[in-house]
Amino acid sequence: MADTHPNRLPRGQAPAALLRFGLPWFAGVRPVVPERPHVWAGGVVRRPSQFDLAELLALPRQHARRADLHCVTTWSATDLSWSGVSFRAVHELLAERVQPHPGCRWVRFTGLDGYRSCLALDDALADDVLLADALNGQQLTVDEGAPARLVAPAHYGYKSVRHVCAIEYLRAYDSGSARWLGHPRARVAREERSRFLPGRAWRPIWRALLPRVRARYARSHG
Ligand SMILES: Nc1nc2c(c(=O)[nH]1)N[C@H]1C(S)=C(S)[C@@H](COP(=O)(O)O)O[C@H]1N2
Ligand SMILES: [Mo]
């Protein structure tokens, strides 16, 4: 298929299937999804509160939004079809209800597995950023990020937090679970894979580590 031809991928990426993946130290952490999931909205806000995830997912639906997921470790899953709600709509609801301090330029997402990642608020408000609860027309499985996950296609995969259970507004960037390895913006178009070295210099490093991380995730399956 022309759409999945590797030449269409950003530089340094190779096509792969979407398989549960992440930081090696999260491989063994498989969350139990509660029957009635909640999302905590807090950080530097006037009224921190808890929401039923169902209330957020009842915002206007976005259907079959096609996107690729690019992982810093050089694999890309292409032509994924996500459905859910626009993060911008979620933010508008939260902004009214929890009232973030106007100085908050960052938003941190936490998953039920404890994984954290922080995006520039402006990046998170882009048109293509979703809080998704379905992939290719099916409800997300736990491995795909149930009950709902962030999908931020312009950013490396480590910003697309699975199993979102908290959204926090912050004044300053927080490096989250990726610690010093993460890049504050992680824009794929600028190859912001990690900090300190140009993206291109990170390619061979990540490529060398990829099989070991994959093996770690494969072992924890089932
Ligand atoms: N909750 C949670 N979200 C996460 C991760 C994680 O370990 N836990 N890993 C991130 C990384 S590094 C990538 S590349 C993508 C992979 O998405 P996938 O597991 O659907 O392939 O999830 C991201 N979101
Ligand atoms: Mo990743």
Side-chain angles (χ1 to χ4, degrees), residues 1-30:
M1 266 199 308
D3 278 334
T4 56
H5 194 279
N7 289 345
R8 287 202 23 158
L9 292 176
R11 274 166 308 174
Q13 298 297 112
L18 188 76
L19 289 173
R20 179 173 170 269
F21 190 85
L23 294 167
W25 51 95
F26 280 91
V29 195
R30 264 239 184 51

Side-chain angles (χ1 to χ4, degrees), residues 49-68:
S49 351
Q50 185 157 272
F51 292 81
D52 273 336
L53 174 66
E55 183 183 354
L56 305 182
L57 293 175
L59 287 162
R61 302 282 305 171
Q62 307 288 314
H63 293 289
R65 300 281 297 261
R66 256 178 58 179
D68 298 342

Side-chain angles (χ1 to χ4, degrees), residues 21-23 69-73 75 115 156-158:
F21 190 85
L23 294 167
L69 185 144
H70 307 291
C71 174
V72 269
T73 62
W75 63 267
Y115 179 89
Y156 283 109
Y158 58 93

